[in-house]
Amino acid sequence: VIEIQGFVDAGEVQPTLFEAPYYIGPDGDVAAKTYGLLAETLKQSNKIGVGKVVLRDRETPLLLAPYENGIVMYRLRFPNEVRSIS
């Protein structure tokens, strides 16, 4: 289950936070309509969804971004996991 907490402009996220991409899809016919609407809305608004998901018993921050006819979920690093460039 993905919990979407908000939406931001695509350029507002530091690329150093991106850890791993996953293609995601709807879970059955009932979810397909909502999935399609979300994918199209993200594409037209140039926004990305910010949220969280539990993977391997650990809550993980994520981004949801439109990709072609679907959505890609990017697992993110926590800011304290990224080393300073200096």
Side-chain angles (χ1 to χ4, degrees):
V1 174
I2 296 172
E3 181 181 326
I4 300 174
Q5 298 174 316
F7 299 90
V8 297
D9 290 328
E12 290 186 51
V13 180
Q14 289 287 338
T16 57
L17 296 176
F18 287 65
E19 188 168 351
Y22 298 86
Y23 294 117
I24 62 171
D27 186 16
D29 293 336
V30 175
K33 209 179 236 186
T34 304
Y35 176 88
L37 179 62
L38 177 61
E40 189 59 33
T41 301
L42 290 173
K43 189 182 295 184
Q44 288 182 11
S45 67
N46 198 31
K47 300 277 187 183
I48 52 178
V50 179
K52 59 186 175 179
V53 67
V54 175
L55 297 173
R56 298 188 180 119
D57 299 326
R58 181 178 177 208
E59 191 171 87
T60 304
L62 62 84
L63 293 178
L64 298 175
Y67 182 76
E68 295 181 3
N69 294 326
I71 299 174
V72 174
M73 178 184 83
Y74 292 99
R75 192 174 67 201
L76 299 177
R77 295 177 179 96
F78 288 97
N80 64 345
E81 295 175 324
V82 179
R83 289 185 175 179
S84 169
I85 195 166
S86 59

